[in-house]
PDB file of all heavy atoms in Angstrom:
ATOM      1  N   ALA A 366     142.741  44.933 137.558  1.00  0.00           N
ATOM      2  CA  ALA A 366     142.679  46.184 136.791  1.00  0.00           C
ATOM      3  C   ALA A 366     141.497  47.028 137.256  1.00  0.00           C
ATOM      4  O   ALA A 366     141.612  48.247 137.414  1.00  0.00           O
ATOM      5  CB  ALA A 366     142.573  45.888 135.297  1.00  0.00           C
ATOM      6  N   PHE A 367     140.367  46.377 137.490  1.00  0.00           N
ATOM      7  CA  PHE A 367     139.175  47.069 137.971  1.00  0.00           C
ATOM      8  C   PHE A 367     139.424  47.696 139.340  1.00  0.00           C
ATOM      9  O   PHE A 367     139.058  48.845 139.598  1.00  0.00           O
ATOM     10  CB  PHE A 367     138.009  46.076 138.023  1.00  0.00           C
ATOM     11  CG  PHE A 367     136.752  46.616 138.607  1.00  0.00           C
ATOM     12  CD1 PHE A 367     136.000  47.551 137.929  1.00  0.00           C
ATOM     13  CD2 PHE A 367     136.326  46.199 139.857  1.00  0.00           C
ATOM     14  CE1 PHE A 367     134.826  48.053 138.471  1.00  0.00           C
ATOM     15  CE2 PHE A 367     135.162  46.686 140.413  1.00  0.00           C
ATOM     16  CZ  PHE A 367     134.413  47.622 139.720  1.00  0.00           C
ATOM     17  N   SER A 368     140.067  46.951 140.233  1.00  0.00           N
ATOM     18  CA  SER A 368     140.323  47.488 141.573  1.00  0.00           C
ATOM     19  C   SER A 368     141.326  48.629 141.528  1.00  0.00           C
ATOM     20  O   SER A 368     141.191  49.607 142.273  1.00  0.00           O
ATOM     21  CB  SER A 368     140.789  46.381 142.521  1.00  0.00           C
ATOM     22  OG  SER A 368     142.057  45.900 142.157  1.00  0.00           O
ATOM     23  N   PHE A 369     142.326  48.550 140.654  1.00  0.00           N
ATOM     24  CA  PHE A 369     143.273  49.663 140.506  1.00  0.00           C
ATOM     25  C   PHE A 369     142.576  50.899 139.946  1.00  0.00           C
ATOM     26  O   PHE A 369     142.897  52.028 140.318  1.00  0.00           O
ATOM     27  CB  PHE A 369     144.445  49.272 139.608  1.00  0.00           C
ATOM     28  CG  PHE A 369     145.402  48.287 140.225  1.00  0.00           C
ATOM     29  CD1 PHE A 369     145.908  47.238 139.473  1.00  0.00           C
ATOM     30  CD2 PHE A 369     145.794  48.395 141.547  1.00  0.00           C
ATOM     31  CE1 PHE A 369     146.792  46.332 140.020  1.00  0.00           C
ATOM     32  CE2 PHE A 369     146.678  47.496 142.111  1.00  0.00           C
ATOM     33  CZ  PHE A 369     147.176  46.456 141.348  1.00  0.00           C
ATOM     34  N   LEU A 370     141.621  50.685 139.054  1.00  0.00           N
ATOM     35  CA  LEU A 370     140.879  51.809 138.488  1.00  0.00           C
ATOM     36  C   LEU A 370     140.057  52.512 139.558  1.00  0.00           C
ATOM     37  O   LEU A 370     140.012  53.748 139.606  1.00  0.00           O
ATOM     38  CB  LEU A 370     139.976  51.318 137.353  1.00  0.00           C
ATOM     39  CG  LEU A 370     139.193  52.383 136.593  1.00  0.00           C
ATOM     40  CD1 LEU A 370     140.147  53.324 135.877  1.00  0.00           C
ATOM     41  CD2 LEU A 370     138.260  51.731 135.609  1.00  0.00           C
ATOM     42  N   ILE A 371     139.425  51.759 140.417  1.00  0.00           N
ATOM     43  CA  ILE A 371     138.646  52.353 141.501  1.00  0.00           C
ATOM     44  C   ILE A 371     139.548  53.133 142.455  1.00  0.00           C
ATOM     45  O   ILE A 371     139.185  54.204 142.938  1.00  0.00           O
ATOM     46  CB  ILE A 371     137.849  51.262 142.250  1.00  0.00           C
ATOM     47  CG1 ILE A 371     136.724  50.777 141.351  1.00  0.00           C
ATOM     48  CG2 ILE A 371     137.295  51.780 143.571  1.00  0.00           C
ATOM     49  CD1 ILE A 371     135.962  49.612 141.902  1.00  0.00           C
ATOM     50  N   GLU A 372     140.751  52.598 142.691  1.00  0.00           N
ATOM     51  CA  GLU A 372     141.701  53.273 143.569  1.00  0.00           C
ATOM     52  C   GLU A 372     142.376  54.456 142.880  1.00  0.00           C
ATOM     53  O   GLU A 372     143.164  55.169 143.507  1.00  0.00           O
ATOM     54  CB  GLU A 372     142.765  52.288 144.042  1.00  0.00           C
ATOM     55  CG  GLU A 372     142.233  51.201 144.933  1.00  0.00           C
ATOM     56  CD  GLU A 372     143.280  50.151 145.263  1.00  0.00           C
ATOM     57  OE1 GLU A 372     144.449  50.301 144.847  1.00  0.00           O
ATOM     58  OE2 GLU A 372     142.930  49.169 145.936  1.00  0.00           O
ATOM     59  N   LYS A 373     142.085  54.653 141.597  1.00  0.00           N
ATOM     60  CA  LYS A 373     142.674  55.715 140.775  1.00  0.00           C
ATOM     61  C   LYS A 373     144.202  55.604 140.693  1.00  0.00           C
ATOM     62  O   LYS A 373     144.910  56.598 140.664  1.00  0.00           O
ATOM     63  CB  LYS A 373     142.259  57.092 141.298  1.00  0.00           C
ATOM     64  CG  LYS A 373     140.768  57.338 141.188  1.00  0.00           C
ATOM     65  CD  LYS A 373     140.428  58.735 141.611  1.00  0.00           C
ATOM     66  CE  LYS A 373     139.023  59.139 141.514  1.00  0.00           C
ATOM     67  NZ  LYS A 373     137.969  58.295 141.264  1.00  0.00           N
ATOM     68  N   ASP A 374     144.671  54.381 140.639  1.00  0.00           N
ATOM     69  CA  ASP A 374     146.096  54.103 140.466  1.00  0.00           C
ATOM     70  C   ASP A 374     146.311  53.746 138.999  1.00  0.00           C
ATOM     71  O   ASP A 374     146.413  52.581 138.622  1.00  0.00           O
ATOM     72  CB  ASP A 374     146.513  52.954 141.390  1.00  0.00           C
ATOM     73  CG  ASP A 374     148.008  52.863 141.568  1.00  0.00           C
ATOM     74  OD1 ASP A 374     148.746  53.527 140.814  1.00  0.00           O
ATOM     75  OD2 ASP A 374     148.436  52.131 142.475  1.00  0.00           O
ATOM     76  N   TYR A 375     146.381  54.790 138.163  1.00  0.00           N
ATOM     77  CA  TYR A 375     146.332  54.617 136.709  1.00  0.00           C
ATOM     78  C   TYR A 375     147.556  53.922 136.130  1.00  0.00           C
ATOM     79  O   TYR A 375     147.448  53.228 135.123  1.00  0.00           O
ATOM     80  CB  TYR A 375     146.096  55.965 136.039  1.00  0.00           C
ATOM     81  CG  TYR A 375     144.781  56.582 136.471  1.00  0.00           C
ATOM     82  CD1 TYR A 375     144.743  57.776 137.176  1.00  0.00           C
ATOM     83  CD2 TYR A 375     143.579  55.940 136.209  1.00  0.00           C
ATOM     84  CE1 TYR A 375     143.533  58.317 137.590  1.00  0.00           C
ATOM     85  CE2 TYR A 375     142.372  56.464 136.611  1.00  0.00           C
ATOM     86  CZ  TYR A 375     142.361  57.661 137.303  1.00  0.00           C
ATOM     87  OH  TYR A 375     141.166  58.180 137.717  1.00  0.00           O
ATOM     88  N   LEU A 376     148.720  54.073 136.760  1.00  0.00           N
ATOM     89  CA  LEU A 376     149.905  53.381 136.261  1.00  0.00           C
ATOM     90  C   LEU A 376     149.694  51.865 136.333  1.00  0.00           C
ATOM     91  O   LEU A 376     149.966  51.142 135.377  1.00  0.00           O
ATOM     92  CB  LEU A 376     151.142  53.780 137.067  1.00  0.00           C
ATOM     93  CG  LEU A 376     152.430  53.036 136.701  1.00  0.00           C
ATOM     94  CD1 LEU A 376     152.829  53.329 135.254  1.00  0.00           C
ATOM     95  CD2 LEU A 376     153.542  53.411 137.661  1.00  0.00           C
ATOM     96  N   TYR A 377     149.179  51.388 137.457  1.00  0.00           N
ATOM     97  CA  TYR A 377     148.935  49.958 137.604  1.00  0.00           C
ATOM     98  C   TYR A 377     147.776  49.486 136.734  1.00  0.00           C
ATOM     99  O   TYR A 377     147.753  48.338 136.301  1.00  0.00           O
ATOM    100  CB  TYR A 377     148.702  49.592 139.073  1.00  0.00           C
ATOM    101  CG  TYR A 377     149.990  49.560 139.866  1.00  0.00           C
ATOM    102  CD1 TYR A 377     150.269  50.522 140.816  1.00  0.00           C
ATOM    103  CD2 TYR A 377     150.926  48.565 139.635  1.00  0.00           C
ATOM    104  CE1 TYR A 377     151.452  50.496 141.536  1.00  0.00           C
ATOM    105  CE2 TYR A 377     152.112  48.523 140.346  1.00  0.00           C
ATOM    106  CZ  TYR A 377     152.366  49.499 141.290  1.00  0.00           C
ATOM    107  OH  TYR A 377     153.539  49.462 141.992  1.00  0.00           O
ATOM    108  N   VAL A 378     146.822  50.359 136.468  1.00  0.00           N
ATOM    109  CA  VAL A 378     145.742  50.002 135.542  1.00  0.00           C
ATOM    110  C   VAL A 378     146.332  49.719 134.164  1.00  0.00           C
ATOM    111  O   VAL A 378     146.021  48.705 133.536  1.00  0.00           O
ATOM    112  CB  VAL A 378     144.676  51.118 135.458  1.00  0.00           C
ATOM    113  CG1 VAL A 378     143.700  50.834 134.325  1.00  0.00           C
ATOM    114  CG2 VAL A 378     143.931  51.251 136.775  1.00  0.00           C
TER     115      VAL A 378
END
Side-chain angles (χ1 to χ4, degrees):
F367 175 71
S368 68
F369 289 138
L370 184 63
I371 289 174
E372 294 174 3
K373 296 184 178 10
D374 196 348
Y375 299 116
L376 176 63
Y377 284 110
V378 170

